[in-house]
Amino acid sequence: VLGAGQGWARSILFNPRARDAFEAFFSRSDTWGLGVCNGCQMMSALKDIVPGAAHWPRFVRNESEQFEARFSMVEVLPSPSILLQGMAGSHLPIAVAHGEGRADFDSDSTITAASTNNTITLRYVDHYGEATEIYPLNPNGSPGGITGLTTDDGRFTIMMPHPERVFRGVQNSWHPDDWGEDGPWMRMFRNARSHIG
């Protein structure tokens, strides 16, 4: 199986016991999850057993045909994602490290449905804050710069970039002095803690 996330997903989908356990987890109303990079690929390949994820794309080889590791800028879009609450409208630097990160949707109507449902959570933007498909600002060629999505109820969120690599100020190559110890991505992890209660 090509793609780490695909292999991970197939080890679940083709094992009845594992599939039943994952499907039960996704179906519970008190569960939530985050898939980053390989986890994003894996969860998107499980979309048939994730309620509210029918609009999720596959993640395929970057248009550059190479592994991309860099800092990119993303915009956080309004969505029901429990992890991104209070972050909509933010333009934030984020670490990128993937070879298979291009969102490949079934059709343009699938993208429209995801946009209409506000389940697109992140997109790559240019220096003017506009969604971009231009390389290297968009490192993989995803349509509309789309690089993160959530389920209809916001419990499960997937994204290709790595917020866990830049949640502290010192993890960024440069940051404004007023950031202090925490970078803006710390908000996502605080949202997770708040959701737990």
Side-chain angles (χ1 to χ4, degrees), residues 20 24 60 82 91 109 133 137 164-165 173:
D20 289 348
V60 298
I82 62 171
H91 292 84
S109 62
E133 295 179 12
L137 303 175
E164 80 285 358
R165 294 187 183 183
S173 55

Side-chain angles (χ1 to χ4, degrees), residues 67-192:
F67 184 84
E68 299 290 343
R70 67 182 74 250
F71 250 36
S72 291
M73 184 70 70
V74 294
E75 177 184 14
V76 182
L77 300 173
S79 77
S81 172
I82 62 171
L83 298 173
L84 298 172
Q85 290 304 299
M87 297 177 69
S90 300
H91 292 84
L92 304 173
I94 195 164
V96 170
H98 59 256
E100 297 169 330
R102 181 168 49 91
D104 181 29
F105 289 87
D106 291 335
S107 66
D108 288 344
S109 62
T110 307
I111 298 173
T112 301
S115 182
T116 302
N117 293 342
N118 291 327
T119 52
I120 297 172
T121 59
L122 299 176
R123 63 183 179 184
Y124 296 112
V125 293
D126 62 20
H127 303 305
Y128 301 101
E130 300 297 323
T132 186
E133 295 179 12
I134 297 172
Y135 178 86
L137 303 175
N138 176 333
N140 53 48
S142 290
I146 297 168
T147 191
L149 299 103
T150 193
T151 50
D152 294 339
D153 62 6
R155 290 188 304 117
F156 296 97
T157 299
I158 59 173
M159 61 182 68
M160 191 49 57
H162 290 269
E164 80 285 358
R165 294 187 183 183
V166 290
F167 69 93
R168 297 183 62 217
V170 298
Q171 291 174 302
N172 293 264
S173 55
W174 177 89
H175 62 82
D177 291 338
D178 63 353
W179 275 15
E181 178 71 18
D182 297 336
W185 288 107
M186 180 62 87
R187 173 71 183 263
M188 191 177 83
F189 298 101
R190 289 199 172 113
N191 284 342

